[in-house]
Amino acid sequence: MHIKSEETLSPRYSPAHIRATWDGTGSVEDASRALGFSRAKGYDLIRSGRFPCRVLRIGRKTRVVTASLLRVLESGDPEYNDARVECRTTP
């Protein structure tokens, strides 16, 4: 999956601008644009559990966690939503 580097982002979607203007969550459309793909592709990735940032479903709305988006933009490493931590007890 290709994620735009900070140098190729429009100023509106740079990490500095996102930090200064977004609240705790952002729209799927804006997060998708910041990552370099379309709104439709963003929703497709969410449905398949492969959107590179953490998302929250609140009622009928889907929001992207801003802190997760910033980590992905800065590191280039995705934080998939389908990653699960399993607790195992040792006997």
Side-chain angles (χ1 to χ4, degrees), residues 37-83:
F37 41 82
S38 70
R39 173 186 173 275
K41 177 70 173 178
Y43 279 107
D44 286 343
L45 291 172
I46 288 170
R47 276 190 289 280
S48 68
R50 295 181 323 167
F51 195 79
C53 305
R54 305 241 180 246
V55 295
L56 299 174
R57 294 196 178 157
I58 305 167
R60 295 181 66 188
K61 292 187 177 200
T62 303
R63 304 290 291 175
V64 176
V65 177
T66 302
S68 178
L69 173 64
L70 289 169
R71 283 191 296 270
V72 170
L73 288 174
E74 291 170 345
S75 72
D77 295 328
E79 296 181 349
Y80 291 114
N81 292 303
D82 61 350

Side-chain angles (χ1 to χ4, degrees), residues 1 3 5 15-16 24 30 32 68 74 80 91:
M1 176 181 313
I3 297 174
S5 68
D30 284 338
S32 296
S68 178
E74 291 170 345
Y80 291 114

